[in-house]
């Protein structure tokens, strides 16, 4: 049976589980907002832990916190950064639009743990107070936007970009491996002129390289942090030296050159940086969809589809058809990309809710942005080593369609004109013969010249 203790806030008494580090404001939020079961990812609490830890250190250095209080908060925050306090972060994503409930959940947990360190008694507000000490120099209105930027950029650098690089390298390797594998190109899902299989993989690799570039280009705005603006951007109740000191320490820990926002009112009233990053993630999702869908199509079959490439067989594909194997990794990737597109719409809508001095959709922005980064990181990683690395070319199938393509007549256009070439294609289609055979029969060109033009299309 759950045991409870009494905690208090400005609205009165609240019963809180006795083994919880958090206090009254967290419990009220649990009672009010538990609608989805969705929680912020650990990366978000990592960022919040960094902020609280370094805030305690800087406040101590500025003479604004007692030594023992600061040290206890610092120890508790370090445990939070390591994920040791995760079970005490219990709030639903859907809550007050500033994220105040989550900020107070963190403040109360760190105060509760710090009090346990100092007194042996868990929870409470003495000797360490969640507002007066843990939250000193801060407001939810600058802490939560700061945590969004820190968490997003840390995850982009540590996880997303390395996995994108991995996928780009894998595609580049296949482009080189398949550079001499001739096949028919297709436009509008119809036969076009010949290309190589390497050309297709090279195009996909370039898409990934450009996606990496786009995402890296968002770092400039993410590096600006709202910390120091407190409630509305004016910095009320924060020492002028506080934000710079905390941000320098966060930069040193993450090896990312964060900086204080050039305009604190903008940093808290708007979330344009998150919208920009989400847009770059959306572009990556679109690229992944194109690449995965193409690979899925080119590997279709194995006997009755295009079948120009073979992808790794990972698991049975049907509960009714024995021996069926499906393109599970490309399909997983496409579904992850679809989720990211939905999250981008959500972030764009939330970004519009910067009402006067505060955006009031911060929790949903944080959740969706970090979820998109995580999804895309995982998708790129699995797509590379579970699919692309193991792709092989079906060389015979690739080559077999080239000579039969009606688009071979394109090579004759410079010498016989578009209209006559079109008639050749039509005649070849109706007769079931190749363009070469029909042109030879019609003596369209001297045979040596005919073969020269058509062969250069194949052997370019």
């Amino acid at each position: 049976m759950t045991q409870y203790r009494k905690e208090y806030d400005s609205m009165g008494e609240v019963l809180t589980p006795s083994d919880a580090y958090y206090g009254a404001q967290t419990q009220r939020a649990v009672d009010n907002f538990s609608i989805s079961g969705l929680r912020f990812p650990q990366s978000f609490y990592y960022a919040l832990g960094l902020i609280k830890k370094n805030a305690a250190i800087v406040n101590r250095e500025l003479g604004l916190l007692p030594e023992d209080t600061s040290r206890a908060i610092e120890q508790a925050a370090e445990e939070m950064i390591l994920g040791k306090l995760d079970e005490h972060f219990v709030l639903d994503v859907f809550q007050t639009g500033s994220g105040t409930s989550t900020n107070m959940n963190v403040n109360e947990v760190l105060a509760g743990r710090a009090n346990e360190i100092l007194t042996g008694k868990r929870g409470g507000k003495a000797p360490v107070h969640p507002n007066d000490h843990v939250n000193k120099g801060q407001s939810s209105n600058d802490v939560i936007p700061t945590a969004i930027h820190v968490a997003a950029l840390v995850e982009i650098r540590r996880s997303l970009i390395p996995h994108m690089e991995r996928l780009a390298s894998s595609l580049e390797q296949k482009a080189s491996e398949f550079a001499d594998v001739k096949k028919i190109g297709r436009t509008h899902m119809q036969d076009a002129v010949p290309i190589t299989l390497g050309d297709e993989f090279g195009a996909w690799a370039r898409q990934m390289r450009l996606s990496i570039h786009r995402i890296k280009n968002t770092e400039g705005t993410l590096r600006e942090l709202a910390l120091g603006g407190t409630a509305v951007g004016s910095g009320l109740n924060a020492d002028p030296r506080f934000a710079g000191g905390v941000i320098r320490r966060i930069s040193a820990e993450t090896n990312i050159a964060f900086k204080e926002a050039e305009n604190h009112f903008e940093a808290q009233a708007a979330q344009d940086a998150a919208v920009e990053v989400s847009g770059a993630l959306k572009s990556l999702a679109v690229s992944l969809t194109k690449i995965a869908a193409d690979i899925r199509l080119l590997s279709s079959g194995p006997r009755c589809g295009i079948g120009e490439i073979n992808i790794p067989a990972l698991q049975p594909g049907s509960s009714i058809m024995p021996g069926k194997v499906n393109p599970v990794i490309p399909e997983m990737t496409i579904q992850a990309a679809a989720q990211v597109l939905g999250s981008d719409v959500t972030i764009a809508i939330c970004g519009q809710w910067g009402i006067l001095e505060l955006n009031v959709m911060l929790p949903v922005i944080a959740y969706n942005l970090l979820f998109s980064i995580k999804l895309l990181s995982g998708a790129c990683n699995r797509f590379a080593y579970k699919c692309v690395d193991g792709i092989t070319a079906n060389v015979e199938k690739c080559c077999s369609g080239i000579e039969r393509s009606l688009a071979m007549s394109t090579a004759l256009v410079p010498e016989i004109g578009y209209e006559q070439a079109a008639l050749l294609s039509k005649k070849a289609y109706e007769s079931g013969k190749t363009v070469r055979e029909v042109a030879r029969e019609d003596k369209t060109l001297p045979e040596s010249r005919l073969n020269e033009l058509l062969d250069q299309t194949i052997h370019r």
Side-chain angles (χ1 to χ4, degrees), residues 393-430:
N394 189 338
V395 177
E396 183 179 349
K397 190 69 178 287
C398 285
C399 295
S400 65
I402 295 176
E403 183 68 22
R404 297 198 308 272
S405 171
L406 302 178
M408 289 287 286
S409 62
T410 305
L412 306 180
V413 170
E415 295 204 17
I416 68 174
Y418 182 90
E419 297 295 339
Q420 189 175 353
L423 289 174
L424 278 177
S425 292
K426 181 180 180 182
K427 189 172 181 180
Y429 174 73
E430 291 173 346

Side-chain angles (χ1 to χ4, degrees), residues 210-290:
L210 288 172
S211 290
I212 292 169
H213 178 71
R214 292 185 191 102
I215 291 171
K216 284 184 174 181
N217 276 348
T218 67
E219 289 191 1
T221 50
L222 276 182
R223 288 193 297 108
E224 285 199 30
L225 302 184
L227 196 67
T230 63
V232 296
S234 65
L236 181 66
N237 290 349
D239 187 291
R241 300 165 293 177
F242 169 77
V246 175
I247 291 169
R248 281 192 295 274
R249 295 189 65 87
I250 291 173
S251 297
E253 285 203 48
T254 60
N255 199 31
I256 298 173
F258 290 108
K259 62 181 181 178
E260 191 170 351
E262 292 186 16
N263 186 301
H264 282 281
F265 297 97
E266 180 277 333
Q268 293 176 213
Q271 281 296 301
D272 295 347
V275 174
E276 179 189 15
V277 175
S278 182
L281 298 175
K282 175 181 68 175
S283 178
L284 169 58
V286 170
S287 293
L288 285 173
T289 299
K290 188 266 192 292

Side-chain angles (χ1 to χ4, degrees), residues 357-389:
E357 278 66 61
L358 181 68
N359 183 289
V360 291
M361 295 283 197
L362 295 176
V364 174
I365 290 174
Y367 177 81
N368 281 277
L369 188 63
L370 296 175
F371 187 40
S372 290
I373 293 169
K374 180 179 180 179
L375 266 182
L376 291 169
S377 298
C380 287
N381 184 41
R382 293 300 175 93
F383 194 21
Y385 84 84
K386 287 278 190 178
C387 182
V388 177
D389 286 355

Side-chain angles (χ1 to χ4, degrees), residues 105-122:
N105 181 200
V106 171
N107 289 335
E108 289 182 341
V109 167
L110 294 181
R113 173 64 182 132
N115 286 328
E116 184 178 54
I117 292 168
L118 293 173
T119 70
K121 183 179 179 181
R122 181 174 296 198

Side-chain angles (χ1 to χ4, degrees), residues 438-453:
V438 172
R440 185 182 294 123
E441 290 174 358
D442 290 356
K443 300 186 182 337
T444 303
L445 288 169
E447 186 161 350
S448 61
R449 182 57 177 160
L450 173 67
N451 290 334
E452 180 184 358
L453 291 172

